[in-house]
Amino acid sequence: MRRAALISAACLLPCLAACSSVHEAVEGPKMGPMSYPAPLVGQSQPTFQSARLPPPEPVTPNSLWRTGARTFFNDQRAGRVGDIVTVLVTVNDSAKTQNTTNTNLTTSNAMGVPNFFGLESSIGKVIPGIDPTKLVATNSAMASAGTGGVNRAEQISVTIAAVVTQVLPNGNMVIQGTQEIKTNNDVRQLTVAGLIRPEDISSSNTILSSQIAEARINYGGRGDISAVQKTPGGTALLQRFWPF
C-alpha cells in the first residue's frame, strides 16, 4: 500500500509541475506574494492600529478638542489602519547586456594490448582480423558558438492611492491599493502593495515607490487590445515546450 502511494506521488509531481508550466504559458507569469511580514509577523502576533498616535479618546465635556483628533494642528499623514496614502509610482529602468561564448573540445583516445603475458598472438587466432595493438580508437570534436544581448528600457509614471491594512509593532505599515480605469472595451489595472515606514511619508501624505519594501507593483490590463497583443495560448505552449 505504501509503495503504491509513493509511486502515485512520484507520478503526480511531474504532472503538477507540467500543469503549472502550462497555466503560466497560457495565463502569463503571476506575481509572488509578499514574503514580509507574513513569515515574521503572523496573525497571532500583536499589531497596532496607529503608527504615531493612540486611539482618539472620547470628547471631553465643555471642550472643543479631544486627544488624537484629526485637526490641522496634528499630523495628517497616514498612520492608522484604514488610512489612505498616495503612492507615486516612478519606474525608469534600463538594462543592456551583451554576451558571446565560444567553446571547442577535441578528444582522441587509443587503446591496445601490445603485450599480455605472451598471449597477444593468440587473440588474433581466436578472433580473426583483430590487431591486439589497436583494439579501440576514438576521436571526437565539438564546437559551439553563441551570442546574446538584452537592451530594455521601461518607464512608468503613475499615481495611486493605497490603504493601510496593517500596522506592525515597530511602526511600519503594510499598504495595498488597486486602481482600474476602463476605456471602451479595455481595462487598465494598477496594483501596488508593500511595506513602508512612517518617516518616509512626506508632509503631503505621499510616498515614492522606491521607498516601499517588498514592493509588488503590477501595471497591466485586459480587454480587446490586450487580447490582440497577447501571444496565443497554443503558440505560447509550443514555444515553451518545443525541444528544438
Side-chain angles (χ1 to χ4, degrees), residues 85-220:
V85 60
T86 303
V87 180
L88 306 178
V89 180
T90 303
V91 179
N92 190 5
D93 295 336
S94 61
K96 185 176 182 180
T97 60
Q98 187 71 30
N99 297 317
T100 302
T101 59
N102 289 282
T103 60
N104 291 279
L105 176 64
T106 302
T107 61
S108 179
N109 300 285
M111 185 179 68
V113 187
N115 299 288
F116 188 73
F117 300 104
L119 300 176
E120 61 275 2
S121 59
S122 301
I123 298 178
K125 297 178 181 179
V126 177
I127 306 177
I130 294 296
D131 186 357
T133 62
K134 300 178 181 179
L135 290 178
V136 178
T138 62
N139 291 287
S140 65
M142 181 179 64
S144 65
T147 301
V150 175
N151 190 359
R152 185 180 68 180
E154 297 176 348
Q155 187 173 2
I156 301 175
S157 181
V158 294
T159 302
I160 181 174
V163 180
V164 177
T165 59
Q166 187 179 4
V167 178
L168 305 182
N170 63 353
N172 292 339
M173 297 177 290
V174 181
I175 63 170
Q176 62 182 24
T178 302
Q179 183 184 82
E180 290 188 0
I181 298 178
K182 184 176 181 180
T183 304
N184 295 330
N185 290 326
D186 217 65
V187 177
R188 194 268 297 174
Q189 185 180 41
L190 172 64
T191 60
V192 61
L195 186 67
I196 64 173
R197 300 188 306 171
E199 52 267 30
D200 290 334
I201 303 176
S202 67
S203 58
S204 57
N205 198 37
T206 61
I207 189 170
L208 299 176
S209 58
S210 58
Q211 296 174 311
I212 302 177
E214 294 291 338
R216 298 293 184 269
I217 301 173
N218 182 20
Y219 185 85

